[in-house]
Amino acid sequence: MSTLKDEVGPNKMLFTLKDGSTSFVFPVNPEEVNISRSKGYETINMLEHGEFDFAQGEKVKEITFSSFFPKVYDPSYCMDVKYFLDPRVALDVLNNFLISKQPMRFIISGTGVNVPVFLISLNSSFRGGEPGDIYFDLTLRTWRDSKVEKVGSGAAGSKSGSRTDLKKNSKTYTVKAGDSLSKIAKFELGNSSKWNEIYKLNTKIIGSDPNRIKPGQKLVMP
């Protein structure tokens, strides 16, 4: 997770959410912005070998920060007065962004942050002694368009190739002296009652009698 701090002064760096032609500039810069990055992965538990992690690419980034909408404009920490809104009006703008089903753009001027996002979380609060001010925490998630391949002859060929690869990569077991299907099912599948699943996949190799397996036969495992 990286942290972006506002070190260039409150009137230099602008934090903006842009929804089409509507631009909303936050009146008070947050002290810092946290950007969370992580990689997706899937954990597979393989019998007799333990756990393996398989990378699945970068996850969606999360951007979080906190600030407040002041009731009274103060040039020492507020943005230019043309961006100043009543706190309740400003909060309504964010609420509309929250329920919107269209992505918007989050921009921090003077940085490389200019990304399409959804506003997914907004929490607001009031503090005693500061009447009219509204504090908030929000979370943005970066948006990316999903790409779907067109179905056609090329896709069909690719699918066919995938089936062939799957068959080549199927796990096999070589029968040893003293083996039985229930014994193989116990050690390879963890349950001796699954012997019938092995038999169904290997009927042509074993023959009509599932009790007559021979050493050296290579059986495909479920």
Side-chain angles (χ1 to χ4, degrees), residues 37-53:
R37 301 176 178 87
S38 61
K39 178 186 290 185
Y41 67 93
E42 181 179 5
T43 300
I44 303 296
N45 196 336
M46 300 180 67
L47 190 65
E48 298 182 355
H49 297 287
E51 291 186 343
F52 293 85
D53 289 337

Side-chain angles (χ1 to χ4, degrees), residues 74-182:
D74 187 332
S76 66
Y77 56 80
C78 291
M79 297 299 100
D80 193 288
V81 68
K82 66 182 179 181
Y83 300 121
F84 193 76
L85 296 174
D86 181 85
R88 290 172 297 180
V89 175
L91 190 63
D92 285 342
V93 172
L94 291 188
N95 279 325
N96 288 333
F97 286 161
L98 181 66
I99 63 177
S100 173
K101 295 182 180 180
Q102 297 299 320
M104 65 200 76
R105 189 159 287 274
F106 179 57
I107 305 167
I108 305 178
S109 62
T111 73
V113 178
N114 187 335
V115 291
V117 297
F118 280 111
L119 175 58
I120 64 162
S121 175
L122 175 64
N123 299 309
S124 59
S125 61
F126 304 90
R127 296 183 181 179
E130 301 178 36
D133 293 352
I134 299 178
Y135 287 77
F136 66 87
D137 308 293
L138 62 78
T139 300
L140 307 169
R141 280 173 64 89
T142 54
W143 172 85
R144 56 189 176 214
D145 193 10
S146 59
K147 299 186 190 290
V148 180
E149 280 189 34
K150 292 182 179 180
V151 177
S153 58
S158 174
K159 187 176 181 181
S160 176
S162 298
R163 288 179 178 174
T164 302
D165 291 341
L166 182 61
K167 187 174 181 180
K168 288 181 179 179
N169 293 329
S170 296
K171 184 179 178 181
T172 61
Y173 176 85
T174 302
V175 178
K176 302 179 183 64
D179 276 345
S180 65
L181 289 184
S182 59

